[in-house]
């Protein structure tokens, strides 16, 4: 059965190629950083909790050393034009079609990982299509990808790190503590109060932690499960989906989401390093309000 292991293997091979090419150019810090990420994807649980913990500490040490640098050789250019958008559109299309198709093939693809498997396959299909349309070589694709990762730097792994932090918070019982504090402020039986606390809490926690995946375990344990799902009888899938969307509104408004909001400003050489955030706030706030309204209507 094809599952999440397939996705990890694809990502691991890509980072292994990035590591090898960086080492060839004697960029030792970049090579070691990419090699450790490749190891985490390819070895996974076989490293054990202690092994993965040491790996993370090594990644942080390399990132904090300041020795990671961009390649002196720019990636080879290819003739682009409007054709470049075709592979980009193939990825979401393949993810959607693949998800629907794989749900009907439970013996072939793990139903719980159907979307991620479809996304990985769609990315591989888009890569192959891009090579044909743009008449490029595979080495050019990997060089361009490595250049992008070099530009992003250590911030590329922030989502994984923050998601892990959210899991640690959940295991430590932070959700129960937050739920106890908010439970005193929410009127008993008030669906509207629970909805507002859950959605706004998701946005605020995401702004603090930089990632909705880190905030979700905390807010789900604090409000989503006890008050909305068990208390109000809301659909768990709906609560989870709209809660994540509320968290993503917080992502649009925080510098903690450096890979989304600060790195683009640096790559585009914007004079205002927070210019991306300022441009996103007028979208984030109405979207957060709409998510709260939709969550209330579907729960009440």
């Amino acid at each position: 059965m094809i599952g999440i292991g397939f996705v990890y293997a694809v990502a691991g091979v890509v980072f292994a190629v990035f590591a090898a090419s960086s080492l060839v150019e004697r960029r030792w810090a970049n090579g070691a950083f990419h090699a450790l990420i490749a190891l985490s994807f390819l070895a996974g649980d076989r490293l054990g909790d202690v092994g993965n913990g040491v790996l993370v500490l090594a990644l942080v040490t390399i990132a904090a050393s300041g020795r990671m640098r961009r390649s002196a050789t720019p990636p080879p250019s290819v003739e682009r034009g409007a054709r470049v958008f075709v592979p980009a559109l193939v990825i979401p299309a393949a993810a959607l079609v693949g998800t629907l198709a794989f749900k009907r093939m439970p013996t072939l693809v793990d139903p719980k990982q159907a979307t991620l498997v479809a996304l990985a396959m769609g990315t591989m299909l888009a890569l192959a299509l891009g090579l044909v349309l743009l008449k490029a070589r595979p080495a050019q694709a990997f060089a361009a990808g490595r250049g992008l990762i070099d530009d992003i730097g250590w911030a590329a792994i922030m989502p994984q790190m923050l998601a892990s932090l959210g899991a640690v918070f959940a295991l430590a019982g932070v959700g129960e503590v937050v739920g106890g504090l908010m439970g005193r402020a929410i009127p008993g039986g008030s669906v509207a109060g629970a909805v507002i606390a859950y959605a706004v809490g998701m946005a605020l926690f995401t702004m603090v932690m930089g990632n909705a995946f880190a905030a979700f375990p905390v807010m789900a344990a604090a409000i989503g499960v006890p008050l909305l799902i068990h208390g109000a009888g809301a659909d768990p899938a709906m609560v989870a989906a709209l809660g994540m969307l509320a968290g993503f509104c917080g992502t649009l408004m925080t510098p903690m989401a450096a890979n989304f909001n600060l790195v683009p400003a640096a790559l585009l050489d914007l004079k205002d390093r927070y210019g991306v955030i300022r441009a996103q706030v007028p979208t984030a706030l109405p979207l957060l309000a709409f998510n709260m309204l939709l969550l209330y209507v579907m729960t009440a």
Side-chain angles (χ1 to χ4, degrees):
M1 179 181 292
I2 303 174
I4 193 65
F6 166 76
V7 181
Y8 289 163
V10 172
V13 169
V14 170
F15 274 98
V17 174
F18 291 167
S21 60
S22 295
L23 293 175
V24 167
E25 296 180 358
R26 298 181 180 276
R27 295 186 300 133
W28 308 117
N30 296 63
F33 191 81
H34 295 153
L36 287 173
I37 297 177
L39 178 62
S40 69
F41 280 121
L42 296 174
D45 294 336
R46 290 189 290 273
L47 294 175
D49 293 338
V50 174
N52 278 297
V54 172
L55 187 149
V56 169
L57 292 176
L59 286 172
V60 173
T61 301
I62 295 172
S65 70
R67 295 180 180 275
M68 294 179 64
R69 56 187 176 85
R70 299 180 184 180
S71 173
T73 304
S77 61
V78 295
E79 183 181 350
R80 293 186 174 89
R83 292 176 297 175
V84 73
F85 293 104
V86 176
L89 295 175
V90 164
I91 297 176
L96 175 60
V97 174
T99 299
L100 297 176
F102 291 155
K103 291 289 186 180
R104 300 177 180 272
M105 305 176 189
T107 58
L108 177 63
V109 177
D110 183 358
K112 295 180 180 179
Q113 308 296 343
T115 299
L116 289 177
V117 171
L119 180 62
M121 290 184 174
T123 302
M124 297 170 66
L125 176 61
L127 172 60
L129 185 60
L131 295 177
V132 173
L133 291 178
L134 302 177
K135 299 179 180 179
R137 299 188 305 275
Q140 292 177 288
F142 282 103
R146 191 201 63 188
L148 178 61
I149 289 295
D150 284 342
D151 287 338
I152 296 175
W154 58 266
I157 61 170
M158 278 192 68
Q160 298 97 307
M161 294 291 190
L162 293 171
S164 300
L165 179 61
V168 171
F169 277 16
L171 291 173
V174 175
E176 287 76 7
V177 174
V178 174
L181 295 174
M182 289 188 169
R184 300 188 185 96
I186 301 173
S190 173
V191 175
V195 166
I196 293 173
Y198 177 60
V200 173
M202 274 295 302
L204 292 178
F205 256 83
T206 299
M207 292 178 70
V208 171
M209 304 180 75
N211 191 291
F213 291 100
F216 181 73
V218 175
M219 296 309 302
I223 300 175
V225 173
L227 298 184
L228 293 177
I229 296 176
H230 291 164
D235 178 60
M238 181 271 297
V239 171
L242 292 178
M244 288 298 293
L245 286 175
F248 294 151
C249 293
T251 301
L252 298 175
M253 300 185 289
T254 176
M256 287 298 292
N259 51 328
F260 291 108
N261 298 331
L262 297 186
V263 171
L267 294 178
L268 296 173
D269 292 325
L270 299 182
K271 294 181 179 179
D272 182 3
R273 63 179 302 193
Y274 301 114
V276 173
I277 297 175
R278 298 183 199 280
Q280 292 172 163
V281 169
T283 299
L285 292 178
L287 185 59
L288 177 60
F290 177 79
N291 285 329
M292 286 191 290
L293 177 62
L294 184 59
L295 182 58
Y296 175 77
V297 170
M298 298 182 69
T299 302

